[in-house]
């Protein structure tokens, strides 16, 4: 048995890594993670430093963990700023910390990569390796964000701290078409969706649904501008670039869904980007150069729902936050993360914080009304 910490994912054989990925999850594939590293999506500039764990038996990769050393909390979508502030106020270092996640991607997926048959052997070894690495290198903590349920339950049994949050996901009830989906919604919700879709048509907007094979360089350049514009408007930092989008499109062409919106004169004015596994659609990015009424809902939600129905995908995860998604058929869904503190003086306080947070999320989700008719 050999355990290595790799500062670049390209040091790990592509197929060996992908052999451990379940459901063909696009964000966990070697190609996606490599594209982030190749195009400075993870870099000193943004405070993400790869240190992927790989476990080998007789030279063959048998278990792994996507892992990053973090110098900030940007791009994680599980917010720990209060924790960092507590450390800083007491002249303690919260950064660097270790994070197992997909950068800038609040989507569920494996974090402890191994075969189902070897979980009992490698789940403990992966966590033991993380803790040893943290203690050896003086990391304050380890954070495992949006893991699969079986991983989360196992980590809970190992006494890691479990945080709760809420997203809004759409579930395919074996619909044959979009009207089948609408039929299960309350009348007011159904009417609203039809009006929103008709409003886009009334403005003579043409939508193109492309993948990595059919989208060309201009399409990706246009989308990159929309993506950057979104961050400029929100005073954020655009971490991805056209090189990243083009590389992912070329390496994972069938798992890319790019929806572009054109005006009658052919000018492309907006786009949304989604990714697909074998069973799940993930909404990721949206941007526009011109505001068109209801276009965001069409490009980001309704086109995604139609794609799921057509391709028999089970779930649509459109991204973080957004209570407005309920009116469009998405339902509150619990998301969780696991955390370990390295000899923290705030362990008891953080445990209390997490309990209050869990209670608040539970009450919040219970307060939300389903958009579907009572059966």
């Amino acid at each position: 048995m050999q355990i290595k910490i790799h500062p670049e994912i390209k040091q790990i054989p592509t197929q060996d890594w992908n052999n451990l990925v379940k459901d063909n999850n696009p964000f966990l594939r070697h190609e996606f993670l490599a594209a982030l590293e190749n195009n400075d999506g993870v870099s000193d500039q943004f405070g993400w430093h790869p240190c992927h764990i790989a476990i080998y038996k007789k030279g063959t990769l048998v278990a792994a963990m996507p892992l990053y050393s973090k110098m900030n909390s940007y791009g994680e979508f599980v917010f720990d700023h209060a924790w960092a502030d507590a450390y800083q106020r007491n002249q303690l270092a919260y950064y660097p910390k270790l994070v197992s996640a997909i950068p800038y991607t609040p989507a569920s997926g494996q974090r402890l990569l191994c075969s189902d048959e070897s979980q009992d052997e490698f789940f403990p070894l992966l966590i033991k390796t993380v803790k040893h690495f943290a203690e050896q290198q003086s990391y304050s903590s380890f954070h495992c964000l949006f893991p699969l349920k079986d991983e989360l339950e196992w980590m809970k049994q190992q006494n890691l701290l479990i945080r709760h949050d809420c997203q809004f996901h759409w579930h395919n009830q074996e619909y044959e078409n979009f009207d089948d989906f609408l039929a299960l919604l309350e009348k007011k919700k159904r009417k609203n969706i039809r009006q929103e879709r008709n409003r886009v048509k009334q403005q003579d907007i043409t939508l193109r649904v492309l993948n990595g094979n059919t989208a060309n360089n201009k399409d990706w350049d246009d989308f990159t501008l929309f993506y950057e514009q979104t961050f400029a408007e929100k005073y954020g930092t655009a971490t991805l670039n056209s090189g990243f989008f083009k590389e992912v499109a070329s390496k994972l062409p069938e798992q890319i869904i790019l929806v572009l919106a054109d005006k009658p004169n052919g000018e492309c004015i907006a786009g949304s980007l989604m990714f697909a596994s074998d069973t799940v659609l993930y909404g990721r990015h949206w941007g526009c150069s011109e505001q068109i009424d209801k276009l965001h809902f069409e490009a980001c939600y309704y086109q995604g729902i139609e794609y799921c129905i057509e391709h028999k995908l089970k779930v649509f995860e459109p991204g973080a936050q957004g209570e407005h998604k309920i009116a469009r058929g998405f339902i509150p869904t619990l998301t969780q993360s696991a955390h370990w503190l390295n000899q923290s003086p705030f362990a008891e306080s953080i445990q209390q914080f997490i309990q209050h947070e869990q209670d608040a999320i539970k009450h919040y989700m219970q307060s939300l009304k389903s958009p579907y008719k009572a059966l």
Side-chain angles (χ1 to χ4, degrees):
M1 191 92 69
Q2 187 178 30
I3 301 175
K4 292 184 178 181
I5 305 293
H6 291 286
E8 297 176 306
I9 198 164
K10 67 182 180 182
Q11 295 178 354
I12 304 172
T14 300
Q15 194 56 53
D16 286 0
W17 178 279
N18 287 342
N19 286 341
L20 301 178
V21 174
K22 296 179 180 178
D23 195 41
N24 200 26
N25 186 304
F27 306 125
L28 282 160
R29 286 185 63 96
H30 192 283
E31 295 90 340
F32 184 92
L33 298 174
L36 284 172
E37 296 180 18
N38 294 340
N39 296 280
D40 297 323
V42 294
S43 61
D44 290 343
Q45 179 183 359
F46 301 123
W48 291 79
H49 303 275
C51 46
H52 307 300
I53 297 175
I55 301 176
Y56 300 88
K57 270 188 178 180
K58 298 180 180 179
T60 300
L61 186 72
V62 291
M65 177 189 290
L67 188 66
Y68 298 88
S69 170
K70 287 297 306 295
M71 296 303 298
N72 55 42
S73 294
Y74 186 70
E76 297 175 18
F77 296 91
V78 176
F79 303 106
D80 58 357
H81 302 102
W83 302 9
D85 289 344
Y87 275 71
Q88 185 177 27
R89 287 196 303 270
N90 288 274
Q91 289 77 52
L92 297 172
Y94 187 66
Y95 304 108
K97 62 179 183 177
L98 291 173
V99 176
S100 180
I102 307 303
Y104 323 117
T105 308
S108 59
Q110 287 167 278
R111 301 297 178 257
L112 311 178
L113 279 63
C114 64
S115 67
D116 290 340
E117 300 76 23
S118 61
Q119 288 182 1
D120 290 344
E121 179 181 6
F122 292 120
F123 277 15
L125 187 53
L126 286 167
I127 295 300
K128 180 180 179 181
T129 300
V130 170
K131 291 181 177 180
H132 178 72
F133 185 52
E135 291 165 350
Q136 187 182 52
Q137 300 296 325
S138 299
Y139 288 103
S140 72
S141 49
F142 163 64
H143 309 265
C144 187
L145 312 183
F146 305 102
L148 294 182
K149 287 183 179 180
D150 61 336
E151 298 173 334
L152 191 287
E153 287 303 317
W154 183 86
M155 285 185 280
K156 184 177 181 180
Q157 293 172 10
Q158 309 310 306
N159 296 317
L160 272 73
L161 302 173
I162 307 301
R163 295 187 67 182
H164 289 182
D165 203 350
C166 177
Q167 291 185 359
F168 301 90
H169 298 173
W170 181 88
H171 296 266
N172 192 347
Q173 305 299 319
E174 299 184 355
Y175 303 119
E176 290 295 324
N177 51 54
F178 197 85
D179 284 338
D180 282 354
F181 153 62
L182 290 180
L184 291 188
L185 293 173
E186 293 181 342
K187 182 178 180 180
K188 185 177 180 180
K189 304 292 191 298
R190 183 166 62 247
K191 180 180 179 181
N192 179 68
I193 290 174
R194 285 178 172 150
Q195 288 177 338
E196 289 181 342
R197 303 201 80 183
N198 286 332
R199 179 62 181 143
V200 174
K201 293 178 181 177
Q202 291 166 1
Q203 296 169 97
D204 292 327
I205 298 299
T206 300
L207 294 171
R208 290 180 286 142
V209 181
L210 309 170
N211 62 22
N213 292 317
T214 55
N216 59 36
N217 279 337
K218 182 182 183 303
D219 294 328
W220 288 115
D221 289 339
D222 287 341
F223 178 77
T224 301
L225 290 175
F226 305 146
Y227 166 82
E228 292 172 344
Q229 179 66 21
T230 296
F231 283 89
E233 292 173 353
K234 296 182 178 180
Y235 304 101
T237 302
T239 53
L240 307 178
N241 52 46
S242 62
F244 167 79
F245 294 126
K246 291 174 183 178
E247 181 173 340
V248 169
S250 68
K251 296 295 180 63
L252 303 174
E254 301 299 329
Q255 295 183 259
I256 295 285
I257 302 93
L258 177 65
V259 180
L260 295 178
D262 299 330
K263 294 175 70 173
N265 63 3
E267 179 188 1
C268 187
I269 57 166
S272 75
L273 178 62
M274 296 172 273
F275 293 82
S277 72
D278 290 343
T279 64
V280 181
L281 182 67
Y282 303 93
R284 285 308 306 121
H285 303 292
W286 153 263
C288 63
S289 60
E290 183 177 333
Q291 296 292 336
I292 300 294
D293 192 28
K294 312 305 180 185
L295 179 57
H296 172 262
F297 301 134
E298 177 65 36
C300 293
Y301 305 146
Y302 304 142
Q303 287 294 318
I305 289 172
E306 287 200 332
Y307 187 92
C308 287
I309 294 171
E310 180 182 353
H311 293 85
K312 310 298 183 184
L313 300 183
K314 296 178 180 179
V315 180
F316 181 11
E317 296 188 19
Q321 305 172 340
E323 197 173 308
H324 63 278
K325 295 168 186 170
I326 296 176
R328 291 157 184 94
F330 297 81
I331 61 174
T333 303
L334 181 68
T335 60
Q336 297 174 286
S337 56
H339 307 262
W340 172 80
L341 304 173
N342 184 9
Q343 299 180 348
S344 172
F346 307 111
E348 184 175 347
S349 297
I350 288 176
Q351 285 180 326
Q352 293 175 353
F353 172 94
I354 287 175
Q355 185 59 59
H356 291 315
E357 183 179 58
Q358 288 181 359
D359 293 341
I361 293 296
K362 180 181 179 180
H363 293 147
Y364 171 68
M365 292 180 66
Q366 290 175 342
S367 73
L368 299 173
K369 188 174 183 296
S370 171
Y372 293 92
K373 296 183 292 187
L375 298 178

